[in-house]
Amino acid sequence: AGRHIVCNALAVLLAVKLAGEDIHKAAKALATQEAIIGRGKREYLDIGERKNPVTLIDESYNANPASMAAALNVLAMHSPTGKGRRVAVLGDMLELGKSSNKLHKELAESIRAAKIDRVWLAGKEILPLADDLSKKEFAGYFENAKAMEEALVNDLLPGDVVMFKASLGIKFGPLVEAVKKQLAGN
């Protein structure tokens, strides 16, 4: 899912064509590709309503302003089921220097465009974004991913679509695994 993935796939097909190789074979190979852990992998977890699983989108490997906007667009493409919501779990985009506050705050625009219902935040750099979220959008803030785990799990509803996105140093990978483990135990 995602326009950025489509653009990359088209670039691959163009390169195959320019190299004089079999574009149909390349297209078939691309069709079998699946997202991997930390790079868009989706999982569906039944937490009591089989018709309304929680969808987890794991974009936890890394983050920068462009990839964060792309991930929010992917979240917008997913429709919650039942009483579910679009939930963004966002952490710091590291190494942005003096532009960090500004670039984190600018995420509010992408969040609204993607019609995100709930936003969870973790990390010191992303905190300025909280000021630009409405009370309805803002779900909570924690200094680190581990501290967020219990509150996030307790907030999730059947049918929610939850996307995790942060720089690798924020350790959202272990958060995704912990949330999956806790939801599987429910």
Side-chain angles (χ1 to χ4, degrees):
R3 181 174 291 182
H4 61 294
I5 300 298
V6 172
C7 289
N8 288 342
L10 290 172
V12 166
L13 293 174
L14 177 61
V16 168
K17 182 170 177 63
L18 291 173
E21 297 298 327
D22 186 342
I23 196 166
H24 298 290
K25 186 175 180 181
K28 283 183 181 182
L30 281 172
T32 66
Q33 298 299 306
E34 293 184 21
I36 60 173
I37 292 172
R39 298 283 192 176
K41 182 172 182 163
R42 287 183 298 275
E43 296 188 51
Y44 306 93
L45 302 167
D46 177 5
I47 63 168
E49 293 183 21
R50 285 191 185 156
K51 292 182 181 177
N52 297 308
V54 170
T55 302
L56 294 183
I57 305 170
D58 180 2
E59 283 282 353
S60 64
Y61 184 72
N62 218 344
N64 60 56
S67 69
M68 192 72 86
L72 290 166
N73 285 336
V74 168
L75 180 54
M77 294 171 57
H78 287 77
S79 297
T81 59
K83 295 181 181 179
R85 307 151 302 174
R86 285 186 186 98
V87 180
V89 183
L90 307 177
D92 293 351
M93 297 181 287
L94 298 175
E95 302 170 5
L96 297 178
K98 293 178 183 178
S99 300
S100 181
N101 282 356
K102 176 182 177 283
L103 293 170
H104 280 93
K105 288 174 82 60
E106 287 176 355
L107 293 175
E109 197 174 304
S110 295
I111 288 166
R112 291 204 181 85
K115 298 182 176 154
I116 307 302
D117 299 300
R118 308 270 296 157
V119 180
W120 290 87
L121 303 174
K124 294 174 183 161
E125 298 286 322
I126 202 160
L127 184 56
L129 173 59
D131 295 336
D132 288 7
L133 298 174
S134 71
K135 288 183 181 182
K136 184 179 175 187
E137 292 167 324
F138 182 63
Y141 167 77
F142 294 84
E143 282 192 23
N144 62 65
K146 178 70 177 153
M148 174 191 293
E149 183 182 316
E150 186 176 340
L152 173 61
V153 168
N154 290 334
D155 186 57
L156 295 178
L157 301 173
D160 278 352
V161 181
V162 187
M163 186 270 301
F164 296 81
K165 184 74 172 163
S167 285
L168 189 60
I170 304 305
K171 297 185 170 76
F172 266 24
L175 173 64
V176 172
E177 292 304 314
V179 168
K180 287 190 316 192
K181 186 176 180 181
Q182 284 199 39
L183 291 179
N186 287 345

